[in-house]
Amino acid sequence: MRPTIMEVNLKNFRFNLNHIKEKLSKGTKIMPVIKANAYGTCINTRLDIINEFDIVAVAIVQEGVFLRKLGYQKEIFILNQPSIEEIDEILENNLTVGICSNYFLEELVKKKKSAKVHIEIGTGMGRTGIHPNRTAEYIDQIQVQDNIKIEGIYTHMSCADTDYEYTEKQIKSFEKAVQIAKNKVPDLRYVHSCASNGLVNFPEAHYNLVRPGMILYGYQSGEKIKEKINLKPVCKLKSKITFLKTVKSGTSIGYARKFITQKETKIATIPIGYADGIRRELSNIGEVFINGKKVPIIGNICMDGLMADVTNLEHVEIGDNVWIWDNENITLEQIASKCNTINYEIISTISSRVPRVFIEE
């Protein structure tokens, strides 16, 4: 195994799940969002975990096919309407799909095979979804088809952590569509609008299904979320020192000589780089945590490694642990801030080169 790994704490995942359940009304189910390799944690590979849920959500068809090959036999919902070229795979793997366009519906009908769908209502996300005023018309188009079963209706909230007034308008708009759908589809199984932020901030919009994503993994999904729900981060990213050297003042470090030592400096080389998901924006501004202290990343981050100034450590040797983030001394949010991005992007782009090690403690 590489010295670079991501530790994934399954006990913390279950802790977060239990605290999410405490927020829900009786009868509301959880559809965990396990897209993008479960936000980079690879918990989607753990059949023992995902089998606890009757329905799970993914973003693309390939993610659903992967779960079928893994052995997951319950419902898999594709959040985003795929391309028409993927319809055969959807049907072959018994995937439930979100739809919101006439052309996709027409191509689905042409296959003459049974398909399950959730209708996406566009209430203000500005991405996909039918206008709420078209709800009745769109349902009528589907119901005349013998092979299409309407299983659910849903929407996406765009700013459930920052703009409560706008979100309340979205909820009201969605509620109108829901009432139309329930009248036309008496056996409608699922109604869902809340992802992580909506789940925490708008309990009145839980309906009978919620879609937690980031909070399942223990990280902030929006402003002040951790003040409202108790969460434990699921993963830590670490590596080890594989090379040490002491260099003189005036020594250039890394590609393009972006760092020049100003004094005698002890440098550690650490085998994790941008091909593993470490952003180059951290070059010369980021830190890692070694032997109880933060130390600066120096020089440009390389594809396969980075260098750190360990001069001020009292003791350091090859093989010492290096924490890229440990959720305490260096957090995912701090890294994201330095990279001018969000924690979602940092965690979900840690590459498959980094082994995930599952722990229960």
Side-chain angles (χ1 to χ4, degrees):
M1 184 176 289
R2 283 187 68 186
T4 297
I5 64 169
M6 179 186 282
E7 289 185 355
V8 182
N9 191 313
L10 299 179
K11 185 178 180 180
N12 285 359
F13 180 84
R14 292 190 176 93
F15 176 92
N16 299 332
L17 177 60
N18 287 335
H19 280 265
I20 291 168
K21 288 178 179 178
E22 291 175 0
K23 291 282 184 182
L24 304 180
S25 303
K26 185 177 180 180
T28 300
K29 289 188 173 183
I30 291 174
M31 175 171 64
V33 179
I34 55 174
K35 63 181 180 179
N37 283 325
Y39 289 56
T41 67
C42 288
I43 287 175
N44 61 310
T45 67
R46 292 292 300 253
L47 193 58
D48 57 325
I49 300 291
I50 61 174
N51 263 335
E52 297 177 17
F53 304 96
D54 293 328
I55 181 170
V56 299
V58 296
I60 60 175
V61 173
Q62 291 94 325
E63 292 172 339
V65 173
F66 169 82
L67 293 177
R68 287 289 183 239
K69 291 180 178 178
L70 188 67
Y72 184 74
Q73 298 179 355
K74 301 177 187 179
E75 286 193 75
I76 300 171
F77 175 61
I78 304 169
L79 282 161
N80 308 313
Q81 180 181 281
S83 72
I84 58 175
E85 288 80 12
E86 297 174 291
I87 288 177
D88 286 336
E89 276 195 305
I90 291 168
L91 298 173
E92 289 168 9
N93 289 277
N94 189 27
L95 306 178
T96 302
V97 62
I99 65 170
C100 56
S101 72
N102 290 340
Y103 76 89
F104 189 88
L105 175 60
E106 290 166 1
E107 293 300 319
L108 197 59
V109 169
K110 287 178 185 178
K111 299 297 181 178
K112 300 186 183 302
K113 292 182 179 180
S114 295
K116 295 178 291 185
V117 302
H118 293 199
I119 298 171
E120 181 184 355
I121 307 298
T123 58
M125 179 69 167
R127 187 171 62 188
T128 49
I130 65 167
H131 193 281
N133 293 343
R134 290 191 57 224
T135 304
E137 166 205 333
Y138 199 62
I139 290 175
D140 289 343
Q141 284 181 259
I142 297 172
Q143 286 187 315
V144 296
Q145 310 299 334
D146 294 333
N147 63 318
I148 311 296
K149 170 71 171 173
I150 300 173
E151 291 250 303
I153 185 170
Y154 71 112
T155 194
H156 290 276
M157 297 178 182
S158 70
C159 47
D161 61 325
T162 56
D163 192 332
Y164 282 30
E165 183 179 353
Y166 187 81
T167 303
E168 286 166 357
K169 289 179 180 178
Q170 283 195 267
I171 293 169
K172 288 179 181 178
S173 181
F174 181 57
E175 179 61 26
K176 292 177 182 177
V178 170
Q179 292 309 314
I180 293 169
K182 285 183 174 179
N183 289 333
K184 286 183 168 289
V185 189
D187 60 345
L188 191 68
R189 289 186 66 192
Y190 296 119
V191 179
H192 49 111
S193 65
C194 288
S196 292
N197 290 324
L199 188 160
V200 174
N201 292 325
F202 294 90
E204 70 273 22
H206 284 176
Y207 294 100
N208 67 353
L209 191 68
V210 291
R211 310 186 300 259
M214 195 62 151
I215 60 174
L216 265 177
Y217 310 106
Y219 295 99
Q220 290 263 76
S221 57
E223 294 182 5
K224 300 181 180 179
I225 289 298
K226 282 192 174 181
E227 296 176 12
K228 301 177 182 180
I229 183 170
N230 194 5
L231 301 171
K232 291 184 178 181
V234 162
C235 59
K236 299 178 180 182
L237 186 62
K238 73 174 184 177
S239 188
K240 292 181 181 291
I241 295 172
T242 54
F243 187 75
L244 280 171
K245 66 180 178 182
T246 299
V247 300
K248 296 178 180 179
S249 175
T251 302
S252 63
I253 305 298
Y255 287 113
R257 304 188 70 226
K258 292 296 183 180
F259 186 90
I260 308 295
T261 59
Q262 301 298 306
K263 60 181 180 179
E264 185 175 273
T265 305
K266 183 177 284 189
I267 297 169
T269 300
I270 301 150
I272 183 169
Y274 61 78
D276 301 300
I278 305 302
R279 299 282 292 268
R280 289 185 81 245
E281 288 94 330
L282 293 172
S283 299
N284 290 312
I285 65 168
E287 296 173 307
V288 292
F289 191 72
I290 304 173
N291 294 341
K293 287 186 179 180
K294 292 180 184 178
V295 297
I297 295 170
I298 58 174
N300 277 338
I301 290 174
C302 310
M303 182 181 288
D304 311 301
L306 59 85
M307 286 71 75
D309 181 351
V310 294
T311 307
N312 293 331
L313 294 183
E314 293 179 8
H315 178 77
V316 62
E317 60 185 33
I318 290 173
D320 283 348
N321 284 330
V322 178
W323 298 97
I324 311 305
W325 77 75
D326 65 350
N327 304 314
E328 295 175 9
N329 301 287
I330 298 178
T331 68
L332 194 63
E333 287 74 22
Q334 288 169 342
I335 292 173
S337 178
K338 287 187 176 182
C339 294
N340 195 31
T341 185
I342 55 175
N343 53 4
Y344 287 76
E345 184 174 2
I346 299 298
I347 192 172
S348 67
T349 56
I350 300 302
S351 79
S352 58
R353 297 205 319 178
V354 178
R356 274 61 169 180
V357 177
F358 297 103
I359 59 174
E360 289 262 16
E361 61 178 36

